[in-house]
Amino acid sequence: MNIQWYPGHMTKAKRMMQEDIKLIDIVIELLDARAPKSSRNPDIDTLANGKSRLVLLNKQDLADQSVNQKWSEYFKGKGILCHAVDARRNQDMKPVMQLIEQACKEKTERDRARGILNRPIRAMIVGIPNVGKSTFINSFAKKACTKVGNKPGVTKGKQWIRLSKNVELLDTPGILWPKFEDPEVGLHLAMIGSVNDDVVELYALALHLIEFLQKNDCNTLAERYNIDVTGEAPYILEQIALARSCLKKGGEADVDKAAKLLLDDFRSGRLGRISLESPETEQSE
Ligand code: G4P
């Protein structure tokens, strides 16, 4: 399947991010916990060079908890603090604040040694579209929200949200782009709903999802739809169509409708907590 990627406005987004990044101390990178490899921007290490880092595995509620844990360890092994969150939950924000301070500890101590005492840590959220950046900023800001006005000369035109005595967050996230060239990345991002469905062939995508679930011994299809899951993917999709009364006129299975239903069930967590990627299959880094 050939998935068409994000359009030209990504060039503008990249330029804006490069400008914003100069103003901040810490880059908070949001990844989709179901596919951290595919939802990670390939250039982020270069873009965030010299900045403190924190990786958040968002939508943790939709991913396998034990795999979330493995990813956290994977990033920690690379010297990057990592934590799994559900950006919709205010209570998930508290540990994030502590992690920001932990990640910036060296810098704060350096400032202190130079006599700079009250300079807050400036943070910025970055991530690919639909990963939950706006949701995260809203939840995080709700915790302790005071908008800090423009700071002429230093941060012209920028809005900062003061999160605590020590931390300020830029209120506009940096929009990143995924790895365009790897077909598996395209598939995974389409499965989790990060690529507009208008440019994706849902039938083929549903077959990929079924094959993935079969390969990974997930019992979820049999459990949810009460069907026989021993055949090939097209046969199983047909079974789902029949089980869920996705029928064309004349009673024939409507597999396109079933494909949409299956993908909706997966994306909303109704098939259970499923991770598409784990660090064990991660070879390129
Ligand atoms: P963005 O700014 O990075 O583009 O993402 P945004 O916050 O708009 O979030 C995209 C969708 O993901 C939203 O769903 C949002 O509610 C959902 N979302 C964000 N964080 C989490 C999370 O931790 N867990 C779960 N389960 N969902 C989360 P939406 O408004 O329904 O939009 P859509 O999915 O219909 O496009």
Side-chain angles (χ1 to χ4, degrees):
M1 192 186 339
N2 184 17
I3 292 166
Q4 206 52 48
W5 286 105
Y6 301 106
H9 69 259
M10 282 294 156
T11 317
K12 190 174 165 227
K14 182 175 181 178
R15 230 181 5 249
M16 275 173 66
M17 217 192 88
Q18 281 167 327
E19 283 306 306
D20 286 344
I21 229 164
K22 292 181 194 155
L23 308 171
I24 56 140
D25 304 305
I26 176 165
V27 174
I28 305 174
E29 192 185 349
L30 243 62
L31 305 183
D32 190 304
R34 294 165 295 174
K37 178 179 163 232
S38 296
S39 57
R40 189 149 207 249
N41 172 272
D43 303 328
I44 189 66
D45 290 330
T46 318
L47 284 162
N49 188 23
K51 303 290 173 182
S52 298
R53 306 281 293 276
L54 173 60
V55 164
L56 296 177
L57 302 169
N58 191 37
K59 308 198 185 185
Q60 64 96 3
D61 54 299
L62 299 173
D64 185 317
Q65 266 169 309
S66 65
V67 180
N68 288 346
Q69 189 57 36
K70 284 182 191 160
W71 276 112
S72 289
E73 276 149 26
Y74 168 85
F75 282 109
K76 280 173 200 157
K78 285 172 157 282
I80 301 175
L81 286 174
C82 177
H83 185 63
V85 293
D86 174 344
R88 299 164 309 167
R89 286 160 39 114
N90 282 349
Q91 63 265 43
D92 279 21
M93 300 299 127
K94 202 171 163 196
V96 176
M97 191 72 94
Q98 286 157 359
L99 286 167
I100 292 176
E101 293 189 9
Q102 190 183 334
C104 293
K105 204 163 162 242
E106 260 179 45
K107 191 201 157 350
T108 315
E109 278 166 7
R110 248 190 347 259
D111 278 356
R112 207 168 284 156
R114 285 205 221 120
I116 307 167
L117 293 178
N118 292 321
R119 190 183 163 304
I121 296 164
R122 297 230 171 95
M124 176 185 180
I125 305 291
V126 304
I128 65 165
N130 208 41
V131 74
K133 298 179 295 300
S134 312
T135 311
F136 182 87
I137 290 176
N138 283 338
S139 295
F140 209 32
K142 232 180 265 157
K143 239 191 111 279
C145 180
T146 342
K147 288 239 172 193
V148 178
N150 295 343
K151 295 185 175 170
V154 191
T155 58
K156 205 160 163 242
K158 302 285 169 201
Q159 278 288 344
W160 296 87
I161 303 162
R162 182 171 279 256
L163 298 172
S164 73
K165 194 160 70 65
N166 302 329
V167 183
E168 286 180 6
L169 178 71
L170 189 61
D171 84 340
T172 40
I175 303 168
L176 296 171
W177 54 100
K179 289 179 199 170
F180 295 93
E181 58 294 329
D182 181 343
E184 191 185 70
V185 168
L187 273 178
H188 287 181
L189 292 179
M191 283 191 212
I192 62 175
S194 271
V195 177
N196 193 330
D197 276 347
D198 297 345
V199 299
V200 176
E201 220 186 292
L202 292 184
Y203 175 75
L205 197 59
L207 295 187
H208 278 289
L209 177 58
I210 292 170
E211 281 162 6
F212 173 87
L213 295 171
Q214 286 179 314
K215 222 185 284 162
N216 290 278
D217 296 325
C218 294
N219 214 15
T220 176
L221 292 176
E223 277 169 14
R224 179 149 180 91
Y225 304 112
N226 201 14
I227 51 165
D228 167 25
V229 289
T230 48
E232 302 269 309
Y235 167 74
I236 291 170
L237 192 57
E238 220 176 290
Q239 299 278 308
I240 295 173
L242 297 174
R244 286 302 159 106
S245 305
C246 301
L247 304 173
K248 291 183 184 164
K249 274 187 201 147
E252 193 191 330
D254 186 341
V255 287
D256 290 324
K257 202 168 166 194
K260 192 171 174 337
L261 178 136
L262 172 68
L263 288 163
D264 279 350
D265 281 351
F266 168 69
R267 288 168 183 170
S268 58
R270 287 190 290 270
L271 292 185
R273 301 173 67 134
I274 297 167
S275 296
L276 295 174
E277 297 168 0
S278 82
E280 280 115 35
T281 52
E282 170 72 16
Q283 275 151 14
S284 60
E285 287 185 282

